[in-house]
Amino acid sequence: MTTPTEHPDSAPAALDGGGAPAHGTLTGEPPIVLATHDLTKRFAKTLAVDRLNLTVRRGDVFGFLGPNGAGKTTTIRMIVGLIFPTSGYATVIDHQVPRDKIEALKHMGGFVEVPAFYGNMSARRNLRLMGSLNGQVEEQRIAEVLDIVGLSERADSKVGDYSHGMKQRLGIANALINQPELVILDEPTSGLDPQGMKDVRELVRELGTRGTTVFLSSHLLHEVEQVCNRAAILNKGRVVIEGPVSELHPEHSSVKVLTSDQERARQIVAALVGAQQVTVDEEYLIVEANNDAAREMVSRLVAEGIGVDAVIPAREQGLEDFFLGLTQSSDVDAGGAAGVAGGAR
């Protein structure tokens, strides 16, 4: 990752010289690669990131989840030194950011928002140029990372002719070129078609199996479920919950139901499970029901001649559904996200 430019309106945070030790713990857990310590960023009257504390250990594929506007990109910009925090700091290995950001950047690779390349140059030449910013890079290493991301056959094509998905994969190749101890990816599947999203997710999963420590920002719960072992969910700049991905699911049992006749279906299901257990969300019925009740519900609907088009378990619903249930708040919506989007992304 190349040296960032500091935010012109930012001021250095006061550092206390502390920080979590990077080289192992008394518990035998893997060493800490990335941590944030009361990391805070305020833009005018908007508190974008509020005393954020995260811990990422060696070998983690760590999902950084939250709806658009939650403060994910602002957090990443502070971690890599693109902007200064209002207070608090991050540590990468043994180096504090922003105080020791140049040294910290030697241990990081990745991109914030959209990776940028010279369109009139080939992928190979781009990697050669960008890799040399952190020292000499061997041609063998360039070939290796192009192979990892599946771009070997297009290595000598101009990047300007690449699809968006290919550019995202090249961005990951560039993140890996200097063999960093931490790879930071900010919404790497943003704007991709389904096949492109699948390709990038498989690539991130492969990085995890290779033992690469990855910090993956996303607003898609399903994406993080597929590739991450640990995750944190962010709401208005604060961590709501952090832990193993297997535990980041709604505790209640509910399903979304789409049928050929939603009004009749609602009446039938309400009679079966109770009217208070059935609500309407746009075109879907939301039914509080365990697996046995859900199977009986589908059987009853079919017996009544109603076509069942979709039954979506709660764990497969979108992040916003889960997020709203987790926080029990109605203020995390499009309007709320837009309110902080000017400073926090």
Side-chain angles (χ1 to χ4, degrees), residues 65-83:
L65 277 162
N68 293 328
K72 302 186 302 296
T73 297
T74 299
T75 298
I76 291 175
R77 286 179 175 274
M78 288 190 284
I79 290 171
V80 303
L82 282 170
I83 58 175

Side-chain angles (χ1 to χ4, degrees), residues 2 11 17 30 60 62 75 82 100 104 122 124 128 133 136 153-154 157 170 192 199 250 256 287-288 334:
T2 57
D60 277 344
F62 191 96
T75 298
L82 282 170
D100 306 323
S122 69
R124 194 186 307 276
R128 186 182 300 131
L133 296 175
Q136 190 65 32
E153 294 183 2
R154 295 293 302 274
S157 300
L170 183 58
L192 299 184
D199 291 344
K256 279 185 171 183
V287 183
E288 298 289 331

Side-chain angles (χ1 to χ4, degrees), residues 25-65:
T25 67
L26 296 177
T27 64
E29 292 182 288
I32 294 172
V33 174
L34 167 67
T36 62
H37 307 259
D38 288 333
L39 194 63
T40 301
K41 182 63 180 178
R42 181 180 292 276
F43 294 95
K45 295 181 179 180
T46 299
L47 185 59
V49 178
D50 185 9
R51 292 169 293 174
L52 185 66
N53 291 287
L54 295 172
T55 300
V56 180
R57 295 185 179 276
R58 181 170 295 161
D60 277 344
V61 179
F62 191 96
F64 193 41
L65 277 162

Side-chain angles (χ1 to χ4, degrees), residues 7 31 54 75 102 113 121 141 150 152 155 162 191 194 196 207 219 246 261 266 275 282 294 307 309 322 331 336:
H7 193 284
L54 295 172
T75 298
I102 301 301
E113 298 182 303
M121 292 169 52
R141 179 58 183 169
S152 295
Y162 275 19
L207 294 179
H219 66 279
S246 59
D261 188 339
R266 185 186 65 77
E282 296 179 347
D309 299 322
F322 172 52
D331 60 2

Side-chain angles (χ1 to χ4, degrees), residues 64-72 218-221 232-242 248-252 314-315 317-334 336-337:
F64 193 41
L65 277 162
N68 293 328
K72 302 186 302 296
S218 178
H219 66 279
L220 303 173
L221 179 61
I233 294 181
L234 200 66
N235 174 26
K236 293 186 176 181
R238 285 190 173 187
V239 171
V240 177
I241 188 170
E242 178 181 357
L248 303 184
H249 293 295
E251 295 184 358
H252 63 280
R315 66 180 289 122
Q317 293 175 19
L319 173 61
E320 290 187 1
D321 291 336
F322 172 52
F323 194 81
L324 288 172
L326 182 66
T327 60
Q328 296 183 340
S329 170
S330 61
D331 60 2
V332 185
D333 55 20

Side-chain angles (χ1 to χ4, degrees), residues 132-193:
S132 67
L133 296 175
N134 285 327
Q136 190 65 32
V137 58
E138 296 182 357
E139 293 299 312
Q140 180 180 352
R141 179 58 183 169
I142 294 173
E144 286 175 358
V145 296
L146 286 168
D147 181 61
I148 289 172
V149 302
L151 289 176
S152 295
E153 294 183 2
R154 295 293 302 274
D156 297 306
S157 300
K158 289 184 178 180
V159 174
D161 296 330
Y162 275 19
S163 68
H164 181 52
M166 293 171 69
K167 289 177 183 177
Q168 293 292 87
R169 283 189 279 149
L170 183 58
I172 296 175
N174 187 50
L176 298 172
I177 192 70
N178 294 112
Q179 303 186 53
E181 289 156 279
L182 172 67
V183 173
I184 297 177
L185 303 176
D186 185 20
E187 300 275 4
T189 62
S190 177
L192 299 184
D193 60 23

Side-chain angles (χ1 to χ4, degrees), residues 254-259 261-270 277-288 297 301 310 312 317:
S254 67
V255 291
K256 279 185 171 183
V257 183
L258 184 64
T259 71
D261 188 339
Q262 290 292 78
E263 181 55 33
R264 279 191 63 213
R266 185 186 65 77
Q267 296 172 5
I268 293 168
V269 173
Q277 302 296 101
V278 184
T279 57
V280 178
D281 177 19
E282 296 179 347
E283 73 270 33
Y284 287 94
L285 299 178
I286 308 297
V287 183
E288 298 289 331
M297 173 187 68
L301 291 171
I312 307 172
Q317 293 175 19

